[in-house]
Amino acid sequence: MSTPLTVIGLGPMGRAMVEKFLDHGHPTTVWNRTASRADGLVARGARRAATPQEALDASRLVILSLTDYDAMHDVLDGAVVAGKTIVNLSSDTPGKTLRAAAWLAERGAELLVGGVMAPAPLVGEPAAYVFYSGPREVFEAHRETLAVIGRPDHLGEDHSLAQLFYQAQLDYFLTALAGVVHSLALVGAAGVPAARFAPYLKENVESIAMYLDEAIADIDRGRYPGDLADIVMMGATADHVVGAGEEAGVDVVLPAAVRALYRRAVEAGHGRDNWAALYEVVKPPAG
Ligand code: NDP
């Protein structure tokens, strides 16, 4: 029989996961702070728990899909968690994640940390993968069950690793999405519909991957040859992007932050290096 499990937290992600677990025949117990969010899942065969404790008692494997780790404490404080494997798929900082691992260990529960790299509609689809960290034997024991929601990728025993990789992916993703909105607002302020500019923007987005291998090699070597395009030139362009935004009356907080990085890189002596040398001013100061 498929492993029974509990899912706590029925936002878009939790609901998508429960649907996949039900499709794969896992007896699934659910609990959500706002009880009505479970209605559709109960109609499909999930079992509704009346309290977090009832949800915990129903299965050894307990999956959390909550807004953050504070929500985990709101739900689990005061509950008996001993003997449970808690798979927390909620976003938060690596530091909070480590503290949660210690908190659960003190109470006799094991934590597997997960970072789901897929939006709700893609949960359980071939493109979905999930970073995990925590005890390998716990991960291996549940690998097959966890594969239902996305390809499981165990990064190591250190609980914070999955959260670190997840946040690093989101660091890029959120910044890139904000850049897309900014670019469209700039042309939009001149009356250009987003759809008219979109084909060019899409080519730009797709071309980013082309620059990665070289930049990664430069970062690993700590050398940034800037013969074709250097930081002085790109910093001047960053000035122009801010200027264009100011002329258009759009918010310039994002391009101004980018400009600040280029200026600091020039001040630090990287003017003749390529853009990947921004890494040197972003990384923590030595010592
Ligand atoms: P939501 O934030 O919409 O929902 C999360 C759930 O957390 C809800 O069930 C909510 O309950 C519950 N919750 C929040 N605070 C508390 C609290 N203090 N006590 C009890 N329950 C609480 O998130 P999503 O479902 O969209 O996402 C879940 C996690 O997955 C998040 O950490 C998110 O960053 C991550 N994620 C989301 C993706 C997405 O595309 N949505 C993609 C990848 C990861 P209630 O219904 O009562 O409000």
Side-chain angles (χ1 to χ4, degrees):
M1 189 179 84
S2 301
T3 311
L5 54 90
T6 287
V7 176
I8 293 180
L10 302 174
M13 293 299 281
R15 290 202 302 276
M17 290 173 201
V18 172
E19 281 176 13
K20 292 294 175 188
F21 286 129
L22 291 172
D23 289 348
H24 283 76
H26 290 273
T28 305
T29 301
V30 296
W31 182 85
N32 194 58
R33 179 180 59 180
T34 308
S36 60
R37 281 183 118 172
D39 292 351
L41 299 170
V42 171
R44 288 200 49 195
R47 188 178 150 252
R48 189 197 311 267
T51 62
Q53 190 64 60
E54 199 180 306
L56 287 161
D57 292 344
S59 326
R60 194 159 174 254
L61 177 61
V62 178
I63 296 176
L64 306 183
S65 178
L66 299 164
T67 304
D68 53 25
Y69 273 59
D70 285 346
M72 177 195 88
H73 288 289
D74 286 347
V75 174
L76 297 187
D77 271 358
V80 179
V81 294
K84 303 296 170 187
T85 294
I86 307 286
V87 182
N88 195 340
L89 303 178
S90 314
S91 169
D92 215 312
T93 68
K96 274 201 177 177
T97 305
L98 280 182
R99 290 192 285 281
W103 187 85
L104 285 165
E106 279 166 22
R107 287 156 183 79
E110 288 169 317
L111 175 66
L112 263 188
V113 177
V116 185
M117 296 307 307
L122 291 188
V123 166
E125 298 299 318
Y129 68 97
V130 186
F131 292 128
Y132 289 99
S133 54
R136 173 160 290 275
E137 76 280 4
V138 177
F139 169 75
E140 292 299 344
H142 298 294
R143 177 198 280 271
E144 206 178 314
T145 303
L146 296 173
V148 165
I149 56 173
R151 179 170 46 83
D153 189 348
H154 187 257
L155 300 171
E157 302 253 336
D158 176 340
H159 284 97
S160 66
L161 273 175
Q163 199 68 263
L164 178 70
F165 276 49
Y166 176 80
Q167 298 306 341
Q169 285 287 55
L170 270 291
D171 185 351
Y172 167 72
F173 186 61
L174 295 187
T175 310
L177 294 187
V180 163
V181 168
H182 206 278
S183 177
L184 291 173
L186 184 59
V187 292
V192 177
R196 159 133 170 69
F197 186 65
Y200 303 105
L201 183 56
K202 279 186 187 166
E203 273 197 36
N204 196 357
V205 168
E206 282 159 16
S207 75
I208 292 287
M210 194 170 82
Y211 301 106
L212 287 192
D213 286 343
E214 216 173 306
I216 288 162
D218 288 352
I219 287 168
D220 280 343
R221 277 196 309 255
R223 281 194 286 111
Y224 307 93
D227 330 335
L228 298 178
D230 65 25
I231 283 210
V232 167
M233 179 279 288
M234 289 182 71
T237 308
D239 278 338
H240 306 153
V241 174
V242 172
E246 284 169 346
E247 283 178 5
V250 301
D251 184 285
V252 294
V253 66
L254 183 62
V258 173
R259 178 178 66 180
L261 289 178
Y262 279 94
R263 286 182 175 170
R264 280 169 46 203
V266 172
E267 283 162 17
H270 294 289
R272 294 298 160 211
D273 290 342
N274 71 54
W275 64 270
L278 293 182
Y279 181 84
E280 298 296 326
V281 298
V282 171
K283 72 181 188 186

